[in-house]
Amino acid sequence: MSTRLSKGGRLLDRSKALDFVFNGKRLKGYQGDTLASALLGNDQMLLGRSFKYHRPRGLVASGAEEPNALVHLGQGGRFEPNQRTTTTELYAGAELSSQNHWPSLEFDVGAVNNAFARFLVGGFYYKTFIHPRFAWKHVFEPVIRQSAGLGKAPKEADADHYEQAYDFCDVLIAGGGIAGLQAALVAGQAGKRVILLEQTPYWGGRAPVDGDVIDGRPAADWIAATVADLAKMPNVTLKTRCMAAGVYDHGYILAEERVADHTPGDGRPKKRLWRIRATRIVAATGALERPLSFAGNDIPGVMLASAVRDYVVNWAVSPGDRTVVVTNNDDAYRTAIALKEAGLAVPVILDARASANGPLPTKARAMGIRVEAGKAIAKVKGGKRVTGVAICLQAGEGAVLEEIACDAVAMSGGWSPVVHLWSHCGGKLLWDEAQAMFRPDATKPPTSHDGQALVYAVGAANGHLQATAILPDAAQGAAAAAGVTPSGVAAQAAPSDEAPLEPVWTMPQGAPIQLRSKMWLDYQNDVKVSDVQLAAREGYESVEHTKRYTTLGMATDQGKLSNINGLAVLAQSLNTDIPNVGTTTFRPPYTPVTLGALAGESRGEIFQPLRKTPINDWHLKHNAYMEPVGLWRRAYCYPKGGETHSQAVDREILAVRSGVGLLDASTLGKLIVKGPDAGRFLDMLYTNVMSNLGIGKCRYGLMCTEAGFLTDDGVVIRLDEDTWLCHTTTGGAERIHAHMEDWLQCEWWDWQVYTANVTEQYAQIAVAGPKARKVLEKLGGMDVSAETMPFMTFKEGTLAGLPVRVHRISFSGELSYEIAVPAGHGLALWEALMEAGQEHGIVAYGTEAMHVMRAEKGFIMMGDETDGTVIPQDLNLGWAISKKKADYLGKRGQERTYLASPDRWKLAGFETLDGSVIPDGAYILAPGVNANGQGNVQGRVTSTYYSPTLKKGIAMGLIKGGLSRMGDVVEFSAITGQPIKAKVVDPVFYDKEGEKQNG
Amino acid sequence: MADAVNAQSVSPLGGASFEGFAKVREIGPLGMISLRAKRDVPGLEGAFASLGLALPEQRRITGTTAKGAGWMSPDEYLILVPYAEVSGALANLAQALKGSHHLAVDVSDARAVFRIEGEKAGQVVAKLGPIDVASLAPNELRRSRAAQVAAAVWAEEGGFTLVCFRSVAAYVMGLLTASAAPGAELA
Amino acid sequence: MLILECPYCGVKAEETELSPGGEAHLKRFGPGSTDEEFEAYMFARKNPKGVHFERWRHAYGCGKWFLAARCTATLEVFGTYPAQVSAPPQALQDKIKAKRPDWKGFQ
């Protein structure tokens, strides 16, 4: 059984016991435990079920590479599935439960899949679900949905908060093992701005566990001294619990810091996403041990040798009383020695190599451990827990020589450098035959904006597995990254001779199918040696295809343990070399990053910027229903009592048409254009002439893209001899300002014109309705009479003591004044107008009333009548296009033959024969069908409303032939029921002569 | 436009404030003028002098938040004066730059201004956007973004000043509040 | 994520502070141009693997448009320069040629 040893555990604080719960059982751990070590210390080896066959699964690893031991953690708003127990720290009161099983961990119905495993081979999904088509939807999917999925989705909103922060440095070092520390020392001493990130809560990585001796001291002492030295350097930032998740172009790094993951509910952000820009990056990310592929290597109790050593040394947890060690290298002997030193039994070390006579095997033998060279595991015995191993010759086909009882197996198939950060931006790898590993090819690094190397891999990540080589390599890599010549001497580790490993891709070498179909490559996705071999036989030669066909390496661990073993098997099956097969692409993140951290602060009220006008609070106080218009929030209508929105809109319109209403039009874009060439510039920008606009006058104008299509419209006013103010649509302010600057900076840079976006300087209020003038007159301060201020003019002055610019323009068709006032006075003016208008029954009206009134008047709206394919001529706006001008933006575009075609759909009005409202988006039907057998169309509706003024449905739309079709009755499509008959009419439904607005 | 008679302009958030590991407060309204002119137009030095201001070099701000001048682009300056002095300052500029191609316009009401104060104020700024707070020079005016909106930031006496558009004042206040939350210190 | 130095304000801006504007050094064809000329100006764009000239606006910054010479394959940035030119500065072209001898030159 697994148990907590009475002594040892270098990371534990035994004075701080922590209670926690696993599947309802109260258990005890210590400060310093990971969830994994705490569970193992309580003999919880069985932790979950695999994805496909629901096989029992236990801990395999002790770090980020763990594929099996994922749990549900927390409750309610802090519930999280798929928490990797090996990297999550234990905290008091933690509530854990196992996942992916039903009804219980011990007895799982889904395990029946295991019995049918030979039907669920690689490519099963592809083969099964292609035919018949109906079977997927009705048979397979419901069954698979029931049994698939890792973990449950949280039901409550996340109770925690997250944030992001930015940092910058010359050298970022990922990994706080001895390589990272040595690198930080070199870069720090060179005076560079250094950030050193370590994903775990402690420094030093594996060196203390491996018993390295550095500069004559135990590794732990050297590590403590080095961290203390680094902490004294003001140019070095040290961060633990912070994982560099990905490297992106030009030295951009995303790193996830676990701020309060281990102290839930203390008010700090749970996690923080760092966005770091580094000139150079040092990847000191270490290496991961590989499993061996032998039958039954997935049975709980079979673990990586390094993990077994970690649990014993770091957390004083014995994975088993009797542990068989199986290896193809010397390093695993350290595990046997550590177990023995902890007083545990190691019945045998099975070394697949023909001989094992280096210092470590010799030491093991001297400690009385039986070492069997040339031997292998034929199969592991046991179900939910290892009970023993059957031994065979590695060179043979699995004939059992002997069975040995044990409750744990420590395996080592060699090491793979963690090359993820090297590879994310395109660093290339080479195959190191001697060490049987892919390691960074220093001649083909990822490059940065200057064309120079961006990432320097050092230490184990660079393929150096011994401390003696790691430290100088780290010093050298860091010096190169810092752009300095290596000065001083790197720390020196005591040499430790190790004999070379021998690659072992299947164990035993000649294993028959019965054994190969029980050799797991990918534990989480249940991919076995036999599945990869099958894929190869079926023609999947590319590693990327095999990956997708078998799902090898596609689980949440992203193949950290399985990839190299898998492609080695693939290479063997294809009878080629491993480098010919290559690796799959390494993509960020290195391990999963919480979505909350990626979202950061963008949540709730500050999910996105909501732009608010100076009158916003008034709208909210008066029950406005706010609608999004881009990022702005605008009042759509102001329901009173029990009014529906449409009732409110109708009331607002009738009140404006008969009395007076106020619209908050502050969102309209306002751009100042000034300079000796401003008139000439505006003549290029607008389709009509603006240069001859009189001072004090207003003129409606259209803007087109260079391709000829309408892009914006609005009223332009001339402030003085060389200054104009252009009003744009709400959505157009920033876009049109950028458009102006683009042309001024990049095409007509010798023209003397300046622009300024003053949109937010002013609140703008439309006072519309027959009583509008009376309201303004009551406020007093300036003459707003028809004589001094006729339609399409403006004046500056004061109203109610406030500085204003009053425009006689109208989008409603009524007598209307649009008043601009500095934003800080916006609310005051609005309230003054409301008060002054009370005697006339003044109302606030929203954007929907505005829309309906402009449609009654036949005014077009950007985004309704236009969609990026409509030119002014389509909307009968030829009058706003200058014939005299030699050029304007869009003129040449509009001359293209298909835009000049008489067959284009053009604007007209529509009235249904029965007075009903045409549905939004309806098409005008035409006889016959097109090449695809679809009914022909001859136009579509663009604006359609119920007009409370006219008490019937009104619409505008585009129809082939446009106004020449006047009087025709056409049919609009309806989603349900019969087409709707409507008559083509003039689009101006209200006050065609303009007596009201001109009045 | 005319000056207001007996009326007080209000800042977007009415002086909202928050105290976390740093103190955040909305200030203003401040008088602000956007001046567009090329560095070499006649009268530019004089125009600044007429306001008692020094012409700022690239990415620098001279004077203070209360009365200062910031470099916004090769042909744009931000002039800071007391709110009540804007129309006077505009008249001075018009006089000094008469005949020189320029644009000077009141943008006082288009902006929201915040102060972020305290020893750890820089940590709040470091959460807003890609601004390297540690290498921000004294009197450097950095235009960038605060999360999803445009902002300008400079260090000044006990903290930082941040300017953004008025319509997003509440959003920026929310950002600053979240960033300065107690316990969310970066170091 | 790219960083480009704005030649106007000297800020090493990152991509989120910039907005892209497509191919640089296009020659405008207005009224009077042939259909072929207008089509080329309006729609035909280079899409090279290698050296490319692009328009970028320092949108969250000084607001100026500038031009960048960049390798689309390696993302190496050869240089940035103000937009008020109709061809890349000769010094920059020479620098690119030195780094990419196979480059056919600015056309």
Side-chain angles (χ1 to χ4, degrees):
Chain A
M1 63 182 285
S2 321
T3 186
R4 182 80 69 179
L5 301 166
S6 58
K7 285 186 301 192
R10 67 179 197 98
L11 299 178
L12 290 186
D13 180 351
R14 295 213 192 218
S15 69
K16 289 187 185 137
L18 304 174
D19 287 330
F20 70 104
V21 175
F22 177 64
N23 284 351
K25 279 183 286 187
R26 295 199 72 77
L27 303 172
K28 195 178 87 172
Y30 296 103
Q31 186 77 41
D33 261 326
T34 62
L35 298 181
S37 66
L39 287 164
L40 206 54
N42 286 279
D43 196 27
Q44 289 292 337
M45 179 59 88
L46 175 61
L47 290 176
R49 296 272 175 171
S50 67
F51 188 68
K52 195 154 91 174
Y53 304 139
H54 287 238
R55 283 176 62 95
R57 288 281 188 256
L59 277 166
V60 174
S62 58
E65 71 276 30
E66 172 61 38
N68 290 337
L70 309 180
V71 295
H72 296 139
L73 177 62
Q75 293 288 320
R78 295 208 158 84
F79 172 86
E80 281 187 284
N82 294 323
Q83 291 306 289
R84 190 165 270 108
T85 55
T86 49
T87 55
T88 308
E89 292 169 63
L90 182 68
Y91 56 86
E95 292 186 62
L96 289 62
S97 61
S98 50
Q99 53 190 43
N100 205 33
H101 57 72
W102 184 82
S104 77
L105 177 60
E106 301 294 327
F107 177 78
D108 176 28
V109 169
V112 72
N113 286 358
N114 192 26
F116 296 108
R118 66 196 179 92
F119 302 112
L120 290 167
V121 294
F124 166 74
Y125 292 85
Y126 280 67
K127 290 168 191 159
T128 310
F129 303 133
I130 289 174
H131 300 290
R133 292 293 291 264
F134 72 89
W136 170 254
K137 191 171 172 194
H138 300 290
V139 182
F140 299 119
E141 198 197 359
V143 174
I144 287 169
R145 284 246 176 269
Q146 187 65 33
S147 58
L150 285 166
K152 289 183 203 143
K155 291 202 171 67
E156 291 179 28
D158 194 336
D160 281 301
H161 61 105
Y162 303 82
E163 66 175 25
Q164 304 191 348
Y166 296 78
D167 209 347
F168 298 78
C169 62
D170 299 316
V171 180
L172 179 125
I173 299 163
I178 57 171
L181 292 170
Q182 175 68 71
L185 215 47
V186 169
Q189 281 162 353
K192 298 292 168 182
R193 204 166 149 191
V194 176
I195 296 175
L196 174 59
L197 304 179
E198 165 55 39
Q199 59 184 350
T200 72
Y202 47 87
W203 297 105
R206 300 201 51 79
V209 178
D210 291 350
D212 288 333
V213 174
I214 303 172
D215 284 351
R217 296 182 277 183
D221 293 355
W222 180 85
I223 291 162
T226 305
V227 170
D229 286 347
L230 290 170
K232 280 184 226 141
M233 298 184 186
N235 54 325
V236 176
T237 304
L238 302 171
K239 283 189 210 303
T240 53
R241 297 190 173 100
C242 191
M243 180 195 69
V247 171
Y248 303 84
D249 302 326
H250 293 185
Y252 193 61
I253 294 111
L254 285 188
E256 187 189 43
E257 182 181 9
R258 292 176 287 124
V259 181
D261 221 16
H262 54 298
T263 55
D266 73 351
R268 295 185 297 161
K270 182 179 169 74
K271 293 182 179 177
R272 178 180 293 132
L273 189 81
W274 284 95
R275 299 161 167 271
I276 303 170
R277 183 69 70 170
T279 310
R280 308 285 170 225
I281 296 159
V282 174
T285 43
L288 297 176
E289 196 168 22
R290 294 193 293 259
L292 285 166
S293 299
F294 48 81
N297 64 350
D298 70 323
I299 294 169
V302 179
M303 299 172 71
L304 294 171
S306 58
V308 168
R309 193 151 87 233
D310 284 341
Y311 287 113
V312 172
V313 177
N314 285 338
W315 295 289
V317 170
S318 111
D321 297 342
R322 290 167 58 81
T323 304
V324 167
V325 175
V326 56
T327 183
N328 65 347
N329 61 71
D330 278 4
D331 183 62
Y333 285 80
R334 292 194 173 96
T335 298
I337 292 164
L339 287 165
K340 199 78 180 170
E341 284 173 346
L344 298 162
V346 179
V348 66
I349 298 174
L350 302 171
D351 195 324
R353 296 171 296 184
S355 64
N357 298 315
L360 283 164
T362 305
K363 183 175 176 188
R365 285 196 185 90
M367 291 173 84
I369 303 174
R370 176 182 166 197
V371 176
E372 290 283 347
K375 299 289 166 50
I377 289 180
K379 66 194 275 194
V380 178
K381 306 181 69 110
K384 290 171 195 150
R385 180 77 202 227
V386 171
T387 58
V389 294
I391 300 176
C392 64
L393 292 172
Q394 168 60 19
E397 294 183 357
V400 176
L401 303 173
E402 181 184 352
E403 289 190 1
I404 294 182
C406 63
D407 54 0
V409 175
M411 61 181 166
S412 178
W415 293 77
S416 297
V418 175
V419 296
H420 297 67
L421 300 186
W422 170 268
S423 301
H424 284 165
C425 274
K428 297 287 183 272
L429 303 174
L430 54 81
W431 177 250
D432 181 329
E433 194 72 46
Q435 301 193 89
M437 61 167 67
F438 277 108
R439 62 176 170 80
D441 180 349
T443 64
K444 293 171 183 158
T447 55
S448 195
H449 60 95
D450 52 5
Q452 303 299 308
L454 173 63
V455 181
Y456 294 80
V458 300
N462 197 27
H464 299 289
L465 298 178
Q466 314 287 329
T468 41
I470 286 172
L471 292 165
D473 186 52
Q476 200 177 3
V484 296
T485 39
S487 65
V489 189
Q492 288 190 338
S496 144
D497 268 352
E498 287 185 32
L501 63 64
E502 266 174 35
V504 170
W505 304 121
T506 55
M507 176 175 266
Q509 182 189 301
I513 182 67
Q514 297 91 319
L515 295 182
R516 281 185 276 122
S517 61
K518 293 290 177 195
M519 293 176 186
W520 261 256
L521 291 168
D522 187 317
Y523 293 96
Q524 200 177 91
N525 271 2
D526 274 326
V527 182
K528 298 161 296 174
V529 168
S530 54
D531 295 320
V532 171
Q533 290 169 332
L534 178 69
R537 280 203 304 279
E538 294 186 345
Y540 290 86
E541 295 183 4
S542 151
V543 63
E544 295 284 5
H545 291 159
T546 299
K547 167 179 167 173
R548 283 154 185 82
Y549 191 59
T550 62
T551 73
L552 175 82
M554 289 169 72
T556 61
D557 63 318
Q558 289 287 289
K560 290 188 180 64
L561 295 185
S562 59
N563 270 351
I564 302 297
N565 286 348
L567 62 92
V569 169
L570 182 63
Q572 275 185 340
S573 309
L574 297 171
N575 214 3
T576 182
D577 298 334
I578 289 173
N580 282 342
V581 172
T583 63
T584 52
T585 309
F586 294 89
R587 292 193 179 88
Y590 174 59
T591 65
V593 173
T594 311
L595 288 176
L598 293 172
E601 80 295 329
S602 303
R603 209 180 148 181
E605 286 291 305
I606 52 172
F607 170 68
Q608 64 171 180
L610 297 187
R611 300 179 70 183
K612 295 171 181 174
T613 76
I615 309 164
N616 188 70
D617 286 352
W618 190 95
H619 304 320
L620 297 181
K621 260 184 235 149
H622 291 79
N623 198 38
Y625 170 71
M626 305 299 283
E627 69 162 341
V629 181
L631 292 176
W632 288 101
R633 286 295 176 275
R634 299 191 69 182
Y636 176 94
C637 63
Y638 304 80
K640 280 187 175 170
E643 274 181 342
T644 63
H645 290 174
S646 69
Q647 286 167 341
V649 169
D650 291 353
R651 173 182 51 74
E652 290 166 15
I653 292 167
L654 294 174
V656 172
R657 294 267 186 245
S658 65
V660 62
L662 296 186
L663 174 79
D664 180 359
S666 305
T667 59
L668 279 189
K670 303 161 203 81
L671 308 175
I672 288 184
V673 179
K674 184 185 180 208
D677 294 308
R680 176 187 181 199
F681 174 61
L682 292 177
D683 285 349
M684 282 303 292
L685 227 53
Y686 286 91
T687 59
N688 46 354
V689 181
M690 290 297 174
S691 54
N692 66 1
L693 180 64
I695 294 169
K697 296 275 174 44
C698 309
R699 182 174 290 164
Y700 175 73
L702 303 171
M703 271 190 228
C704 294
T705 62
E706 184 73 313
F709 301 112
L710 261 175
T711 187
D712 209 76
D713 68 344
V715 170
V716 177
I717 70 172
R718 188 162 186 180
L719 295 170
D720 60 40
E721 184 53 38
D722 65 353
T723 314
W724 282 254
L725 190 155
C726 306
H727 290 97
T728 74
T729 57
T730 293
E734 285 72 32
R735 182 172 52 87
I736 298 300
H737 184 233
H739 175 67
M740 288 179 171
E741 284 293 326
D742 189 354
W743 286 97
L744 285 173
Q745 292 177 33
C746 303
E747 186 71 22
W748 303 309
W749 60 74
D750 51 338
W751 294 14
Q752 292 201 313
V753 182
Y754 283 126
T755 71
N757 183 352
V758 294
T759 301
E760 299 202 14
Q761 169 67 13
Y762 303 101
Q764 194 135 325
I765 302 169
V767 187
K771 304 285 169 55
R773 186 173 291 125
K774 288 201 163 57
V775 176
L776 266 60
E777 281 168 351
K778 181 154 186 194
L779 290 184
M782 59 192 286
D783 182 357
V784 294
S785 65
E787 294 71 36
T788 49
M789 199 189 286
F791 188 53
M792 294 307 271
T793 64
F794 74 92
K795 269 198 165 21
E796 293 189 352
T798 59
L799 281 174
L802 301 172
V804 292
R805 180 187 305 119
V806 182
H807 314 79
R808 268 294 306 277
I809 53 180
S810 177
F811 199 40
S812 57
E814 297 299 331
L815 169 64
S816 164
Y817 296 85
E818 284 202 11
I819 310 171
V821 62
H825 296 299
L827 183 60
L829 178 64
W830 178 276
E831 287 179 330
L833 286 162
M834 273 291 165
E835 202 183 316
Q838 229 158 31
E839 63 192 88
H840 305 293
I842 196 166
V843 299
Y845 69 98
T847 52
E848 186 65 1
M850 172 193 80
H851 278 258
V852 177
M853 285 193 279
R854 66 92 196 170
E856 288 174 343
K857 189 67 183 141
F859 291 146
I860 62 146
M861 186 81 176
M862 289 292 135
D864 284 342
E865 275 63 43
T866 70
D867 63 356
T869 69
V870 170
I871 57 174
Q873 293 86 339
D874 295 338
L875 302 181
N876 312 322
L877 293 169
W879 58 268
I881 298 173
S882 166
K883 308 285 182 296
K884 293 179 295 192
K885 289 198 293 189
D887 194 5
Y888 60 83
L889 294 181
K891 184 177 172 75
R892 175 63 183 85
Q894 288 160 3
E895 288 167 357
R896 288 179 288 163
T897 49
Y898 84 101
L899 290 182
S901 161
D903 285 342
R904 285 184 67 80
W905 294 358
K906 293 193 166 188
L907 190 76
F910 297 91
E911 276 180 27
T912 55
L913 299 188
D914 61 2
S916 64
V917 179
I918 297 168
D920 258 325
Y923 276 85
I924 306 171
L925 304 176
V929 292
N930 66 14
N932 295 322
Q934 299 157 325
N936 283 330
V937 293
Q938 54 176 326
R940 62 184 169 84
V941 75
T942 54
S943 291
T944 170
Y945 299 100
Y946 172 73
S947 161
T949 314
L950 305 169
K951 303 205 166 16
K952 63 182 178 188
I954 59 164
M956 285 190 278
L958 300 168
I959 184 170
K960 192 171 171 178
L963 290 174
S964 72
R965 303 282 300 274
M966 216 104 89
D968 285 6
V969 173
V970 295
E971 290 187 332
F972 280 88
S973 60
I975 290 168
T976 55
Q978 290 299 305
I980 299 151
K981 285 186 165 33
K983 194 159 87 171
V984 182
V985 298
D986 188 308
V988 185
F989 295 91
Y990 179 78
D991 188 26
K992 188 163 172 63
E993 307 310 317
E995 287 167 13
K996 292 177 187 288
Q997 69 185 18
N998 299 341
Chain B
M1 274 191 189
D3 283 331
V5 187
N6 302 325
Q8 193 66 49
S9 181
V10 292
S11 72
L13 303 177
S17 68
F18 172 78
E19 190 136 13
F21 72 79
K23 187 172 181 185
V24 176
R25 59 193 174 93
E26 191 221 1
I27 59 172
L30 301 184
M32 287 193 200
I33 293 166
S34 176
L35 172 64
R36 296 207 52 187
K38 286 213 168 84
R39 183 71 173 78
D40 55 4
V41 294
L44 190 64
E45 300 266 0
F48 278 83
S50 77
L51 302 178
L53 295 170
L55 188 54
E57 295 302 320
Q58 187 191 51
R59 289 207 321 275
R60 291 295 182 271
I61 179 164
T62 61
T64 64
T65 298
K67 186 153 190 170
W71 188 96
M72 302 293 271
S73 88
D75 57 9
E76 184 182 350
Y77 301 91
L78 177 67
I79 291 170
L80 296 150
V81 293
Y83 191 85
E85 295 175 18
V86 170
S87 49
L90 282 170
N92 279 7
L93 291 173
Q95 183 61 36
L97 289 166
K98 200 172 171 126
S100 293
H101 173 44
H102 76 284
L103 164 61
V105 59
D106 181 4
V107 291
S108 315
D109 289 64
R111 307 281 163 81
V113 189
F114 296 90
R115 284 284 297 161
I116 307 147
E117 292 162 329
E119 248 174 63
K120 296 180 173 174
Q123 297 184 15
V124 176
V125 178
K127 294 182 191 183
L128 301 178
I131 303 169
D132 186 1
V133 179
S135 67
L136 204 62
N139 304 320
E140 178 172 356
L141 184 159
R142 177 72 155 91
R143 299 180 74 178
S144 181
R145 58 183 178 83
Q148 303 173 50
V149 299
V153 180
W154 62 89
E156 188 181 337
E157 194 65 51
F160 294 81
T161 303
L162 182 149
V163 179
C164 67
F165 283 108
R166 182 185 193 104
S167 66
V168 293
Y171 170 76
V172 171
M173 185 68 198
L175 275 182
L176 293 171
T177 302
S179 301
E185 293 91 339
L186 295 180
Chain C
M1 183 168 55
L2 307 186
I3 17 179
L4 297 171
E5 184 171 329
C6 173
Y8 294 99
C9 66
V11 165
K12 286 189 178 61
E14 66 165 49
E15 216 171 315
T16 67
E17 298 174 280
L18 303 168
S19 54
E23 187 180 326
H25 302 302
L26 295 177
K27 179 174 162 30
R28 180 171 186 258
F29 283 92
S33 57
T34 65
D35 281 354
E36 290 69 29
E37 284 167 337
F38 186 72
E39 181 194 14
Y41 156 59
M42 204 66 233
F43 304 111
R45 293 292 179 269
K46 294 181 184 128
N47 184 24
K49 181 180 181 183
V51 179
H52 195 38
F53 298 88
E54 293 172 326
R55 284 154 34 87
W56 290 86
R57 183 174 187 228
H58 193 186
Y60 284 94
C62 68
K64 295 297 180 201
W65 282 96
F66 64 88
L67 307 181
R70 192 167 73 88
C71 174
T72 58
T74 66
L75 307 187
E76 178 173 357
V77 179
F78 304 111
T80 55
Y81 51 102
Q84 293 79 38
V85 287
S86 49
Q90 191 56 47
L92 179 62
Q93 294 194 44
D94 294 346
K95 180 182 168 188
I96 298 170
K97 190 76 189 162
K99 288 198 166 206
R100 297 283 190 279
D102 294 343
W103 179 49
K104 298 213 164 37
F106 176 75
Q107 288 146 2

